Amino acid sequence: MPPAPSSSRALAAILPQIATAPYEAHQKARTFASRYAKAGQYDVAIDVLFQSARELLKAGQQGSGTDLGGFLLEVYDSKNEAVTEESRGRLTQLIALTGSGGSWRKTLIDKCISWSAKHGPCPAGDPEMHHYAGEILYKDGSFELAELHLLAAGKRDSARLLADLLLDWSNGASDFGLYASRGVIPYLLEGNILAARTFLSHFLSHLISSHPEVLAETVPLQVGSTSDEILFTKDQVLNFLQLAIRTCQRAQGEKNKTVREAWVRLCGTYQSKGGLMASPPMRKALSELAHLYFSIPLPRGQAANPLQDMLSSLFGGAGSAQPRTLSPAGGVGLD
């Protein structure tokens, strides 16, 4: 019986060349991996590409290393490699080694997310991969890119990290409600109420710790006969967001008319105060939330995708005209 195929021969020809002839090493890695992949020896090709990419990145060859990382994902795709700790772990190692300079890290992250969306259970991409990407991009200072990954992750840790990021991004500004809305509204639009609550609780806790003057009342307001509490602040948007989460949490579509009417009154009250609450992006987002949670029809002509429009309008960037359908029960749950 012939021995099982091994990557040892290929790696012995590739790795020693990286220090003195990185281009030749890169080309050899592609050649060997192509042969193995065409022969259906995917695991060998994966090992060759991973080890070669890792060592090239360690040697400062970001372009070559990222290229092999992309090739690794092509082999993953050909093999129909599922998202597992092992398959994800190879990728996170490479992402970490790409460095923060240039666009190499973003390039590899985008390809990793696309693969995980195709071969994992989450159409938006693997939550663990999104969280890792958000965390490392946050450390790089790429706040806007990190924000999108942490929103997509939808995990408890991601919600907390997003709160830290947005507080850092605010950089001492006084419009804290604007930054808090960037976490709460998208999570609610994804049907992820628990992530919205986790985010805002962490955001408010750290905000009040560093800016106690933001509180209008030092004693929290109790919500009805429950043990739930609202922190009444001098920022109207922060007050609205707390109430919006709790109202959406009690929603039952058109079945509960009392809560439905409470939502309409809540939005009307705060929108009448002007500012961010009365801005077109926020109005669009609130109309979508009304449709999503309370079965209130969207205004005529409004596409059901205010999330990207809202984010891009608030801080710049490209929006998306693609409509989408959301379900409160379909959001990513918390771990």
Side-chain angles (χ1 to χ4, degrees), residues 153-159 192-198 331-335:
K155 293 161 54 66
R156 182 183 293 115
D157 288 344
S158 306
N192 199 339
I193 293 175
L194 289 177
R197 285 199 66 144
T198 300
V332 179
L334 294 181
D335 52 317

Side-chain angles (χ1 to χ4, degrees), residues 167 199-211 231:
L167 281 169
F199 165 85
L200 191 55
S201 174
H202 192 78
F203 187 97
L204 286 170
S205 174
H206 284 248
L207 173 62
I208 292 167
S209 176
S210 57
H211 295 276
L231 296 170

Side-chain angles (χ1 to χ4, degrees), residues 10 18 22 30 46 57 85 105 115 120 125 128 154 166 173 180 203 234 251 256 260 264 268 283 294 308 315-316 324:
I18 288 177
R30 288 195 68 93
I46 286 169
L57 289 169
E85 286 198 22
R105 177 165 283 163
W115 161 76
E128 295 287 347
L166 288 166
F203 187 97
K234 297 173 184 176
N256 192 330
R260 198 180 189 208
V264 174
R283 284 184 179 276
F294 307 100
Q308 288 297 333
F315 276 87
R324 63 179 184 172

Side-chain angles (χ1 to χ4, degrees), residues 291-312:
H291 179 66
L292 176 65
Y293 289 95
F294 307 100
S295 300
I296 297 173
L298 288 168
R300 188 172 298 176
Q302 178 174 324
N305 185 20
L307 175 56
Q308 288 297 333
D309 290 340
M310 182 190 73
L311 292 178
S312 62

Side-chain angles (χ1 to χ4, degrees), residues 30 33 52 60 88 96 125 130 176 184 201 261 264 282 298 302 327 332:
R30 288 195 68 93
S52 300
R88 184 196 303 115
H130 273 300
F176 297 112
V184 172
S201 174
E261 290 169 1
V264 174
M282 182 64 84
L298 288 168
Q302 178 174 324
S327 168
V332 179

Side-chain angles (χ1 to χ4, degrees), residues 114-134:
S114 296
W115 161 76
S116 73
K118 183 177 179 180
H119 295 280
C122 299
D126 177 51
E128 295 287 347
M129 184 68 74
H130 273 300
H131 179 86
Y132 181 82

Side-chain angles (χ1 to χ4, degrees), residues 142-334:
S142 300
F143 289 171
E144 194 162 6
L145 292 175
E147 172 192 31
L148 295 176
H149 286 290
L150 294 172
L151 287 170
K155 293 161 54 66
R156 182 183 293 115
D157 288 344
S158 306
R160 293 192 187 103
L161 190 59
L162 180 61
D164 291 337
L165 181 156
L166 288 166
L167 281 169
D168 282 351
W169 200 350
S170 71
N171 194 28
S174 59
D175 51 349
F176 297 112
L178 169 63
Y179 291 89
S181 69
R182 291 183 69 103
V184 172
I185 300 298
Y187 278 139
L188 289 180
L189 285 169
E190 292 292 344
N192 199 339
I193 293 175
L194 289 177
R197 285 199 66 144
T198 300
F199 165 85
L200 191 55
S201 174
H202 192 78
F203 187 97
L204 286 170
S205 174
H206 284 248
L207 173 62
I208 292 167
S209 176
S210 57
H211 295 276
E213 70 280 1
V214 78
L215 279 176
E217 300 284 347
T218 56
V219 179
L221 303 176
Q222 191 170 354
V223 180
S225 59
T226 69
S227 59
D228 204 1
E229 293 178 334
I230 298 290
L231 296 170
F232 189 56
T233 74
K234 297 173 184 176
D235 188 309
Q236 296 298 326
V237 179
L238 290 177
N239 296 337
F240 169 80
L241 294 173
Q242 294 179 79
L243 294 167
I245 291 172
R246 283 142 180 94
T247 308
C248 289
Q249 195 166 15
R250 295 164 58 206
Q252 294 177 312
E254 59 186 7
K255 294 179 182 179
N256 192 330
K257 291 185 178 179
T258 302
V259 179
R260 198 180 189 208
E261 290 169 1
W263 172 261
V264 174
R265 288 196 305 272
L266 176 67
C267 292
T269 298
Y270 280 90
Q271 285 177 331
S272 68
K273 299 177 186 294
L276 175 65
M277 294 302 305
S279 67
M282 182 64 84
R283 284 184 179 276
K284 284 185 180 181
L286 297 182
S287 294
E288 174 62 12
L289 290 176
H291 179 66
L292 176 65
Y293 289 95
F294 307 100
S295 300
I296 297 173
L298 288 168
R300 188 172 298 176
Q302 178 174 324
N305 185 20
L307 175 56
Q308 288 297 333
D309 290 340
M310 182 190 73
L311 292 178
S312 62
S313 296
L314 290 178
F315 276 87
S320 171
Q322 295 296 319
R324 63 179 184 172
T325 303
L326 300 172
S327 168
V332 179
L334 294 181

